Amino acid sequence: MVVGEMPEGVDLLVVGGGPGGYVAAIAAAQMGRKVVLVDADGEEGLGGVCVRVGCIPSKALIELASHVHAQAAWHGRGAPTPGSDGVDLVKFQDWKRDVVGGLNSGVRGLLKRAGVDVRRGWFRFTRPDQGALVVDADRPPTHLQFKSCIIATGSRPVELRHLPFDGKRIVSSTEALELAELPKSVAVVGGGYIGLELGIALAKLGSSVTIVEAQETLLPTMDQNIGNLIAKHIKEFGVEVLTGATVTEDTGTKLLVEGPDGRLELEVDLVVVAVGRIPNTEDLGLDALGVEPGPDGRLQVGTDLLVTPRVAAIGDITPGPALAHKASAEGHVAAAVLSGHLERFDPTTIVAVVFSDPEVAQAGLTAAGAAAAGYTAATASFPISASGRARTMGESTGFAEYVYDEATGIVLGCTVVGPHASELIAEAALAIEMAAHLDDLAGTIHAHPTMGEIHHEAALVALGRPVHIPAARRRGPSEGGTA
Ligand code: NAD
C-alpha cells in the first residue's frame, strides 16, 4: 500500500461468487453483517462453476439426452413415432444460455436485496492484519481492511501433462458442455462423476463414446458393484468402457491407450479429460496470512472452518467432496462462526449424486464406514426390479440399500442406484440426519405406485418382513457390502 493511502474498511468480505460464496454472503447479511463479495468476474461470476459451466449446464444436457434416448426407446416399445428431426445443439445451447442467465440474474437479485455489495476484481491478502487488495483491469486497485473474510474460490479441472487442453480436440467439461455440434466419436478420460455424466449424455445423443478409466472400476471411490453395474448397463446403449487403462499420447487423430490387454488406438473426434479438480488456492496471497495449503492445494480446516481467527475457508478448497451443496452448507456455518455463533460443520450427511444411467446417490455411512465407526453394521437391500413404478418406466436396474446399526435399528447410511436416485436419496438423508429407526421408514405410508416405496421396502427387508421380495436378502454384520 502506498504511504498515506487509506484502506477501505469492510465488515465481512467474501471471495468468490459460487454456491459457497454467494450463500455465505446472504447468510452473513441475514445475521446483520455488512457484506462485500468480490469475484474475478463480478456479477457475471455469480453462481460460479455450478451455475455457469458445471451442475446446471450438465444437468440441462443430461435432461436433453435422456429425452432423446427415451423417445427412441418408447418408439421401440410401440409408442407412436415421435416426429423428432434429430438433435439441434445450437438451439439447445441458446436455451441453456437462457437457463444459466436466468439463474445468474436470480442470484444477482438475491444479493442485491440482501444488501451485498458485489465487486469485480482479483483478490489477494496483503498483510497479516486483515489487509487485502482487489485488482481490476478497468479501475485502480482497492485496498481493503476487513473484520472477517470467507474464502470460497472453488476449483478448476485437472490438466494432464501429456494431454494439455487445446479447447478444440482436447477439452475439459467446460467446453464439452458448450458443443454446438455433436461429435461422431468421443473418448472420455476418467470414469468418475464428470466422465460418466458427460459420456453417457453424449452417447444417448448419438456419439460413439469410449470411457477410459485408470482404476479397475468406474466410480472407483464407491463400492465396486456400483461401477460394474453401470458399466454393464451403459454397454447396452453403446458406451465402451476401458478400465485399468491410461492414455499415453494423443496424435491429433488418435488417442493411444495402454490397457490390461495391451495398447489400443482410439480414433476419435473429441477427447474430454475429466480426471478430477484442483482447488484455486494459488495467487491468493495466503502467505501474507501465514497460511499454507496442503500438497493437494486444499486448506486444512476444523469443524469451525477457520484458517485464522478471522478468516474461514469453504467449498472445494477445503477437505471433503467438491460438491456445490457441501460448499453452501459450509457457507452458512462460516458466516455464523465469524459472526460469533457457536455453529460447527457436520459432514455426516453430505449426499453424493452421480447423474449417470442409472443414477447413483449415497448418503451417510457405508457398511465399512459404519463398522469402522464402531457400529454393528448391517445392510438390507431392495432391488429396483421389484418396484412396480420402476417397471412402468421400463427400468429394472439398480437397488436401494440401507446401512443400519443391528443393535439399535438406527439408520446410518443409504445408497440408491436407479431411476430418480438423485431425488430419492433426500428421504434417506433426512432419516439419517434425524437418526431415524428402521421402524420409522417401514411405518411411513408411501404412495403407490412410486419410486419412494423403495425406502419402505428396504426397511421391511432389514426388519425381516419383506413383502415384495423373498426374505433371504437381509444380511448381517459379517457379510457387509452392496447387494
Ligand atoms: P472424479 O474424481 O469424480 O473422477 C476422476 C476419475 O478419473 C477417477 O475415476 C480417476 O480414477 C480417473 N483418472 C484419474 N487420472 C486418470 C488418468 N490419467 N487416466 C484415466 N483415468 C484417470 O473427478 P471428475 O469426474 O473430474 O469430477 C470432479 C469433481 O467434481 C467430483 O469429484 C465431484 O466432486 C464434482 N462433480 C460432482 C458432480 C455431481 O454432484 N453430480 C458432477 C460432476 C462433478
Side-chain angles (χ1 to χ4, degrees):
M1 191 167 56
V2 177
V3 178
E5 191 164 335
M6 282 298 290
E8 177 190 341
V10 173
D11 180 24
L12 190 142
L13 187 60
V14 176
V15 189
Y22 85 73
V23 170
I26 291 173
Q30 285 169 349
M31 288 172 212
R33 303 297 297 266
K34 191 90 191 95
V35 183
V36 172
L37 186 152
V38 179
D39 189 285
D41 292 326
E43 289 202 323
E44 275 175 37
L46 296 177
V49 166
C50 171
V51 166
R52 302 200 302 163
V53 292
C55 322
I56 297 299
S58 64
K59 263 72 269 175
L61 186 76
I62 288 167
E63 201 63 30
L64 170 77
S66 302
H67 281 288
V68 168
H69 189 250
Q71 223 175 19
W74 279 106
H75 185 44
R77 284 182 200 124
T81 313
S84 154
D85 55 356
V87 187
D88 183 344
L89 279 186
V90 173
K91 220 162 150 185
F92 165 75
Q93 294 296 354
D94 283 345
W95 172 74
K96 186 199 82 185
R97 261 187 291 280
D98 282 350
V99 173
V100 169
L103 291 172
N104 169 267
S105 27
V107 178
R108 287 182 204 210
L110 292 171
L111 289 170
K112 200 171 175 186
R113 275 194 290 279
V116 176
D117 176 2
V118 177
R119 301 195 191 165
R120 191 177 65 186
W122 188 263
F123 169 92
R124 187 169 294 131
F125 293 104
T126 50
R127 295 189 316 276
D129 60 343
Q130 291 90 53
L133 186 68
V134 175
V135 182
D136 177 13
D138 301 339
R139 273 171 287 242
T142 325
H143 294 272
L144 305 175
Q145 183 82 31
F146 59 84
K147 277 193 192 145
S148 319
C149 178
I150 299 173
I151 325 169
T153 46
S155 63
R156 62 186 186 280
V158 167
E159 186 168 29
L160 291 175
R161 217 175 311 137
H162 54 295
L163 278 182
F165 295 128
D166 62 13
K168 290 195 175 93
R169 174 175 166 76
I170 301 175
V171 300
S172 72
S173 53
T174 304
E175 295 80 20
L177 289 167
E178 265 152 27
L179 293 171
E181 209 178 311
L182 192 68
K184 275 204 176 68
S185 52
V186 184
V188 181
V189 183
Y193 280 68
I194 296 178
L196 276 184
E197 292 186 3
L198 269 175
I200 293 173
L202 291 173
K204 284 183 169 178
L205 289 171
S207 293
S208 158
V209 174
T210 306
I211 297 178
V212 183
E213 165 57 49
Q215 302 293 318
E216 293 312 307
T217 50
L218 297 173
L219 293 177
T221 54
M222 296 187 179
D223 191 290
Q224 232 182 3
N225 292 338
I226 299 175
N228 291 341
L229 184 148
I230 291 179
K232 187 165 168 241
H233 188 68
I234 62 181
K235 257 186 195 139
E236 286 170 22
F237 46 87
V239 181
E240 189 73 35
V241 177
L242 302 174
T243 51
T246 46
V247 173
T248 53
E249 192 189 333
D250 181 65
T251 67
T253 53
K254 289 178 190 156
L255 195 67
L256 310 186
V257 177
E258 207 68 61
D261 302 324
R263 198 170 201 218
L264 274 170
E265 291 185 353
L266 302 178
E267 214 165 316
V268 288
D269 301 326
L270 185 74
V271 180
V272 182
V273 179
V275 294
R277 299 184 65 84
I278 41 171
N280 296 323
T281 47
E282 313 94 336
D283 300 332
L284 286 176
L286 287 167
D287 47 339
L289 283 186
V291 170
E292 201 183 331
D296 59 358
R298 292 171 196 244
L299 296 174
Q300 285 307 315
V301 289
T303 53
D304 58 9
L305 306 174
L306 295 176
V307 290
T308 78
R310 288 171 185 261
V311 180
I314 62 171
D316 296 5
I317 61 170
T318 62
L323 299 170
H325 45 279
K326 178 232 180 203
S328 299
E330 288 180 330
H332 283 283
V333 173
V337 168
L338 288 170
S339 303
H341 300 282
L342 263 182
E343 203 141 317
R344 293 293 178 261
F345 182 64
D346 177 2
T348 312
T349 325
I350 303 174
V351 176
V353 173
V354 189
F355 292 80
S356 45
D357 185 350
E359 290 185 349
V360 177
Q362 286 193 321
L365 297 173
T366 59
Y375 293 103
T376 43
T379 61
S381 102
F382 182 77
I384 292 297
S385 58
S387 153
R389 181 67 182 109
R391 299 308 281 259
T392 65
M393 294 188 264
E395 303 281 358
S396 57
T397 304
F399 58 86
E401 181 182 86
Y402 269 93
V403 178
Y404 60 97
D405 181 29
E406 179 116 281
T408 60
I410 300 288
V411 171
L412 301 171
C414 180
T415 298
V416 180
V417 179
H420 305 299
S422 53
E423 306 291 341
L424 292 166
I425 199 69
E427 178 172 339
L430 185 64
I432 297 161
E433 189 66 39
M434 298 185 73
H437 191 277
L438 290 166
D439 283 329
D440 296 318
L441 286 170
T444 301
I445 300 171
H446 289 73
H448 179 75
T450 62
M451 287 302 303
E453 289 170 291
I454 59 170
H455 297 289
H456 167 84
E457 297 281 356
L460 286 176
V461 174
L463 292 165
R465 342 181 223 114
V467 174
H468 291 101
I469 58 165
R473 279 180 187 266
R474 183 167 171 269
R475 294 192 298 172
S478 57
E479 292 155 289
T482 300

